[in-house]
Amino acid sequence: MMELFSLKGKTAIVTGACGLLGRNHCKALAEAGAKVIAADVDEVASKKIAQDLGEGHMGVGLDVSSDLSVMEAKESILERYGRIDVLVNNAAINDMFENPNAALELSKFENYPISLWKKSLDVNVTGVFLCSQIFGTVMAEAKQGSIINIASTYGVTAPDQKLYQNEKGEQTFYKSASYPTTKGAVISFTRFLAAYWGDKGVRVNALSPGGVENGQQEFFKSNYAERTPLGRMAQPTDYKGAIVFLASDASNYMTGGNLVVDGGWTII
């Protein structure tokens, strides 16, 4: 049974590898036996992650929104490994405002900047499209492979704006339309590509994680825990099993699915 989860002899690309979840996706795949390509716009940090994973792994600089950058990364990976078996489309951006004091007003739908909307579409949707098209074509030609698109519970349900109210009931921030819209698009794209490449032996699934604890304010963590059946936010390591499952032969009859791992968030 455990051999089904082995990734020995496989190569796995993780985009957004320097992020909180990206680093853990890399570790999980490496622990399962894969040679991991840590890919991120920060090339130096990507190479450090690969070095920390041990011998045989690779770090590359990658801008997922640039077809030229993705093509160059593909050539480098094929030159070294000669194959691509797993792609984890993890790179994404979430709302960041240069002036924290203006975040409340700018995050309102009525005021949300079109520049942030376009940037989110470019990275969160076009980035998944380009990496799937360029890396995935290698898999389709080899008639094997697994693509894992990282979506979100906010691609399944609408944001609960009450999470962002402090102890006094004051709204501190609004989750904008861009993140749930792009993550919903990722889930729909997953279904399209699963159907399109089904006869090529390429499986395409989405993983929708819940919120991860990462230094948020106490009122937010408390609000999130109260709304979640398991009573807590996720730890970064809580998705390692799901990643290995979707990447490995343990899920070889699963495609077009959306694996929700959220502590029960979406059932309420």
Side-chain angles (χ1 to χ4, degrees):
M1 170 60 74
M2 296 311 296
E3 290 180 3
L4 288 173
F5 292 88
S6 174
L7 296 174
K8 188 174 182 180
K10 307 281 190 181
T11 62
I13 304 168
V14 179
T15 69
C18 298
L20 181 64
L21 287 185
R23 293 193 300 271
N24 280 279
H25 296 336
C26 289
K27 290 177 184 177
L29 296 167
E31 288 169 5
K35 298 300 182 185
V36 174
I37 299 94
D40 199 283
V41 288
D42 189 337
E43 184 174 1
V44 173
S46 296
K47 290 182 176 179
K48 179 63 166 62
I49 288 172
Q51 182 180 20
D52 291 344
L53 292 175
E55 187 177 353
H57 306 287
M58 179 181 183
V60 297
L62 177 66
D63 177 358
V64 298
S65 65
S66 165
D67 55 350
L68 178 60
S69 179
V70 180
M71 285 292 295
E72 289 176 346
K74 182 197 77 169
E75 296 304 323
S76 296
I77 293 164
L78 291 179
E79 182 179 356
R80 177 165 179 178
Y81 298 105
R83 61 188 293 159
I84 297 173
D85 301 289
V86 178
L87 168 63
V88 181
N89 279 313
N90 174 72
I93 57 172
N94 213 335
D95 290 319
M96 295 293 290
F97 297 94
E98 293 183 9
N99 182 0
N101 294 326
L104 175 60
E105 286 303 311
L106 287 176
S107 63
K108 289 180 178 179
F109 176 72
E110 295 86 349
N111 304 329
Y112 190 70
I114 188 65
S115 60
L116 294 183
W117 171 264
K118 290 180 177 179
K119 187 175 181 180
S120 291
L121 289 172
D122 205 25
V123 175
N124 298 6
V125 181
T126 302
V128 172
F129 168 86
L130 284 175
C131 289
S132 297
Q133 184 183 62
I134 294 170
F135 295 133
T137 295
V138 177
M139 300 182 190
E141 290 173 349
K143 295 190 179 299
Q144 63 82 37
S146 174
I147 297 175
I148 305 166
N149 296 324
I150 305 302
S152 169
T153 52
Y154 279 168
V156 179
T157 63
D160 183 350
Q161 304 294 357
K162 292 180 181 179
L163 291 178
Y164 309 99
Q165 293 179 358
N166 63 21
E167 299 91 335
K168 298 179 181 179
E170 300 167 334
Q171 195 76 30
T172 62
F173 181 78
Y174 290 94
K175 193 67 176 180
S176 74
S178 62
Y179 192 77
T181 298
T182 56
K183 290 305 183 179
V186 166
I187 295 171
S188 291
F189 177 71
T190 297
R191 295 179 182 131
F192 162 81
L193 201 55
Y196 184 80
W197 270 339
D199 63 345
K200 301 296 185 183
V202 178
R203 299 185 300 104
V204 189
N205 291 289
L207 170 61
S208 287
V212 182
E213 187 172 343
N214 187 30
Q216 295 94 338
Q217 292 177 287
E218 288 301 320
F219 77 82
F220 176 84
K221 290 189 287 187
S222 177
N223 289 345
Y224 196 99
E226 287 180 8
R227 193 192 181 285
T228 307
L230 289 187
R232 65 175 178 85
M233 297 190 74
Q235 295 299 309
T237 55
D238 281 336
Y239 303 106
K240 293 174 71 175
I243 284 288
V244 172
F245 168 69
L246 291 174
S248 69
D249 288 344
S251 60
N252 64 5
Y253 196 58
M254 181 176 176
T255 196
N258 179 28
L259 181 58
V260 179
V261 183
D262 66 351
W265 171 273
T266 52
I267 67 173
I268 295 178

